[in-house]
Amino acid sequence: MDIQHLSVPEITAQYTYKTWSFQKGWKPLHVVDGEGCYFIDASGKRYLDFSGQLMCMHLGYKNEAMIRSIEEQARKLSFIGPGFATDVRAELTKELLQVMPKGLEKFFFATSGTEANEAAFKIARMYTGKTKIIARYRSYHGSTMGSIAATSDPRRWAMEPAGKIPGVIFAPEVNCYRCPIKHSYPECDVACADYIEHMIENESDVAAVLVEPIVGTNGILIPPKEYMPRLREICDRHNVL
């Protein structure tokens, strides 16, 4: 087939992969533009982008301040390895130090959440000398071998066992609407957090507990106000990050 006679959606579907989906029958929407909180298809139809694409377009399309910043930096220094010091890296560090809690004073700059989580696994294991990571069901942490291992939704299943790293175990998610351990809040006294302590005590070798403060792609699950402080106390008590 002469690729020159194919449309943009046909080329995309036939010669590239879509993520997190079956490939057969894929008919991608041809998007040509974006402005503010809208993206626009080839027919001119505008779509209100409620999700900010992959939760990364919160400043909107064609944000002039962002465009100017990208252009200025590209004209000055488009890339330099992480072993060098740069003005922009130092400026961002100073801004972060103004807002981060006391004690959080060392930063690793990554290009994605997946990359950040991969680095967190390595740091936790090197710092503690332990190996296991406790994640929760109904969670999403990325698509690489480490982060997908900590992702507990159906997207992980196709990667098992060869496509993920070992050493991740799962605890019940915090879901007061449909509690996975059949309790009711507030009478439960946040039993789902105590369950994680039970796991730490009986698993041994736990380096870290990985949680989303508010679960995103698996249901917008908001924990009760006691949950995160309780989890912090449990981890501190057992020398777990």
Side-chain angles (χ1 to χ4, degrees), residues 87-198:
D87 293 343
V88 68
R89 183 175 181 173
E91 288 298 320
L92 177 55
T93 299
K94 288 191 290 185
E95 292 292 330
L96 286 172
L97 288 171
Q98 297 299 314
V99 297
M100 295 301 289
K102 185 178 180 180
L104 294 180
E105 299 169 347
K106 192 84 170 181
F107 309 112
F108 174 75
F109 295 125
T111 58
S112 69
T114 293
E115 187 181 355
N117 285 333
E118 289 278 354
F121 295 163
K122 296 171 187 175
I123 291 169
R125 287 172 168 172
M126 288 189 292
Y127 179 79
T128 64
K130 297 180 282 188
T131 60
K132 291 180 183 176
I133 306 292
I134 294 178
R136 299 182 305 185
Y137 293 112
R138 297 284 296 273
S139 64
Y140 177 75
H141 296 292
S143 58
T144 52
M145 289 185 71
S147 58
I148 195 68
T151 292
S152 185
D153 69 20
R155 286 174 285 192
R156 189 192 79 246
W157 299 347
M159 301 293 292
E160 295 183 326
K164 67 173 192 174
I165 63 169
V168 178
I169 53 179
F170 293 100
E173 70 274 14
V174 54
N175 185 348
C176 295
Y177 183 60
R178 292 189 177 94
C179 177
I181 53 176
K182 309 302 182 184
H183 285 51
S184 296
Y185 178 80
E187 293 80 8
C188 66
D189 192 28
V190 199
C192 50
D194 293 334
Y195 191 100
I196 292 178
E197 182 168 35
H198 176 74

